[in-house]
Amino acid sequence: MYMNVYLLFVSISHMTDTHSNTSTVTLIILGMASHSRTGPKSARKRKCFPDSVSYPSYSDIDSQAPKPLPFKPIHPFGIDLGSMRQAVQSTSNMMLREIYFFMLFFTQAVVADICSFTNRQGWELVLNCPSYSSYQGAWMEVTPDEFYRFLGLLIYIGFSILPDSHRHWGTKSLQGSWARGFMSHDRYKALLAALHVVDPTTDDNQDRLRKLHYLMDHLKQKCQQLFRPNQNLAIDERMVKSKARSGFKQYMKGKPTRWGFKLWVIATSDSGYTLVFNVYTGSHDGRVTDLATKVVESLLQPFKDQGHNVWFDNFYTSPALMVKLFEMGTNACGTCRVIVNCFLQNLKTSYDGNARQLVGI
């Protein structure tokens, strides 16, 4: 009785040639072996493989490597506040307060729209739950000034160590007196229940992010409008910690934040400023083939044909993605697991001895 055992070990070792003083990358492959349990060792079938295959090192001149695309940005690099500076300031010529920077993203126009959506939802809320209404039994409409105070309370409670939000309105600590100076606890709960950042009449039940699209699209637009990136960009995942009950909350083992919402993010390599982000809602429509390629193509749509250098890790790196990015007018470089990403995906491809093509750059 015979049994085939397939063994595949791939290792990379750096060897130094004393005569040429150059570094050589050696790819050693130990392959298939077939043997019999009962027969003698001399009768076992063996297949010989070459001991090693040498490739040029990264320090060697590569005459076949494509030339990098030139960097031709549409907008000059740097901060571009434009007319937003006058929109948040009335008397000062410098942005000296934190609220001015906050209002660059949460502008008065978008806050007015959110107030309109919340009031529309609030009138429907008091019909089903009268406890959220005013003393006259009607919905007390929220104004932009009150909504800014509400946002301030949300941010403050998020940094607080108290276990329950209602304790911020308690009478046994100074924190309760601070929160009551802005709004009552009942009003806070009413705004939290009626809060809507999208028009309630335009909800699409087929979209899992239907209640966030308006605000997300606005924030993406402001992120790209207020800061123009340099040539180097980075793509990676980001976890937003959350204990909410949601169907697309993710778990990532080994991360500092293991439970939360997973974001695909493209940011500047020098400052880490977020330019574009997308929320991963899970594979509810079935297993997505080539997810990494679709993620990168979606994030890079605003930066096509500008010659940016995009950097990412081995989750995204593949020869097919490198070709697509080059066709999109974007230079790319990524780390690579030789066994998983390169060897298995290019098993039927004959390498031409170019070590750069082995890692997809």
Side-chain angles (χ1 to χ4, degrees):
M1 178 178 180
Y2 292 91
M3 181 180 65
N4 292 329
V5 180
Y6 297 90
L7 302 176
L8 178 63
F9 300 91
V10 180
S11 63
I12 296 179
S13 61
H14 295 271
M15 304 178 62
T16 304
D17 189 348
T18 57
H19 298 285
S20 60
N21 196 23
T22 60
S23 178
T24 303
V25 179
T26 304
L27 182 66
I28 303 175
I29 302 176
L30 303 180
M32 182 182 66
S34 178
H35 66 89
S36 172
R37 288 180 178 268
T38 58
K41 293 184 178 180
S42 58
R44 296 177 185 176
K45 297 180 180 180
R46 300 178 182 273
K47 187 173 182 179
C48 298
F49 290 89
D51 294 336
S52 64
V53 180
S54 298
Y55 295 96
S57 67
Y58 289 100
S59 60
D60 295 340
I61 299 178
D62 188 3
S63 59
Q64 299 181 0
K67 295 182 179 179
L69 299 171
F71 182 46
K72 297 182 294 183
I74 300 177
H75 305 281
F77 165 72
I79 300 175
D80 185 12
L81 299 181
S83 60
M84 299 299 297
R85 186 190 300 271
Q86 289 76 21
V88 298
Q89 300 179 73
S90 57
T91 59
S92 177
N93 293 326
M94 298 181 62
M95 303 185 67
L96 301 179
R97 299 180 60 189
E98 292 83 353
I99 187 63
Y100 294 152
F101 290 93
F102 181 79
M103 293 179 65
L104 289 175
F105 296 91
F106 283 84
T107 61
Q108 295 180 356
V110 71
V111 168
D113 291 339
I114 295 177
C115 290
S116 176
F117 303 151
T118 303
N119 290 328
R120 191 175 305 173
Q121 182 68 18
W123 283 106
E124 297 181 4
L125 180 65
V126 296
L127 295 177
N128 300 323
C129 188
S131 60
Y132 291 121
S133 62
S134 62
Y135 293 105
Q136 293 79 15
W139 170 255
M140 186 170 59
E141 294 195 350
V142 58
T143 61
D145 292 337
E146 185 183 22
F147 188 79
Y148 278 120
R149 295 197 299 268
F150 173 72
L151 287 179
L153 285 173
L154 283 179
I155 296 174
Y156 173 76
I157 293 175
F159 285 101
S160 177
I161 60 175
L162 295 179
D164 300 315
S165 62
H166 70 271
R167 297 194 180 187
H168 293 87
W169 282 265
T171 58
K172 297 182 180 180
S173 64
L174 295 177
Q175 290 177 325
S177 61
W178 181 88
R180 287 196 303 271
F182 292 92
M183 65 176 58
S184 65
H185 189 214
D186 291 340
R187 180 59 174 171
Y188 172 81
K189 292 193 300 181
L191 292 179
L192 196 62
L195 178 63
H196 247 63
V197 295
V198 68
D199 191 350
T201 61
T202 60
D203 283 356
D204 183 9
N205 294 330
Q206 302 298 325
D207 189 358
R208 307 186 80 182
L209 297 174
R210 60 187 182 276
K211 296 185 177 181
L212 299 174
H213 267 305
Y214 174 78
L215 185 59
M216 286 175 51
D217 294 341
H218 169 78
L219 293 177
K220 292 178 186 179
Q221 179 184 2
K222 292 303 176 184
C223 287
Q224 300 175 43
Q225 178 182 354
L226 297 176
F227 185 80
R228 309 299 183 180
N230 209 338
Q231 186 174 11
N232 294 316
L233 305 176
I235 294 179
D236 205 351
E237 308 95 51
R238 181 179 299 171
M239 291 293 290
V240 179
K241 186 177 181 179
S242 177
K243 296 181 179 180
R245 297 179 181 178
S246 175
F248 52 89
K249 189 170 64 174
Q250 301 293 317
Y251 173 79
M252 296 188 68
K253 183 180 179 180
K255 296 291 185 179
T257 302
R258 291 182 292 178
W259 284 100
F261 299 105
K262 184 177 180 179
L263 306 182
W264 309 108
V265 178
I266 180 169
T268 57
S269 299
D270 48 1
S271 63
Y273 177 84
T274 299
L275 295 168
V276 184
F277 64 92
N278 291 327
V279 181
Y280 178 59
T281 58
S283 56
H284 59 282
D285 295 330
R287 185 174 181 86
V288 180
T289 59
D290 205 2
L291 175 62
T293 301
K294 295 181 180 180
V295 168
V296 174
E297 289 180 338
S298 175
L299 293 174
L300 284 175
Q301 287 301 320
F303 309 102
K304 291 176 58 177
D305 301 322
Q306 299 184 38
H308 287 283
N309 297 332
V310 182
W311 307 79
F312 37 73
D313 58 19
N314 57 77
F315 174 76
Y316 307 93
T317 304
S318 67
L321 176 61
M322 297 297 179
V323 174
K324 289 185 178 181
L325 293 182
F326 191 80
E327 295 174 352
M328 293 173 59
T330 303
N331 303 308
C333 181
T335 60
C336 180
R337 294 182 181 179
V338 178
I339 296 178
V340 178
N341 287 18
C342 289
F343 189 85
L344 296 183
Q345 291 184 10
N346 299 279
L347 190 60
K348 298 181 181 180
T349 304
S350 59
Y351 297 111
D352 61 351
N354 189 344
R356 293 182 183 273
Q357 291 185 4
L358 182 63
V359 295
I361 59 175

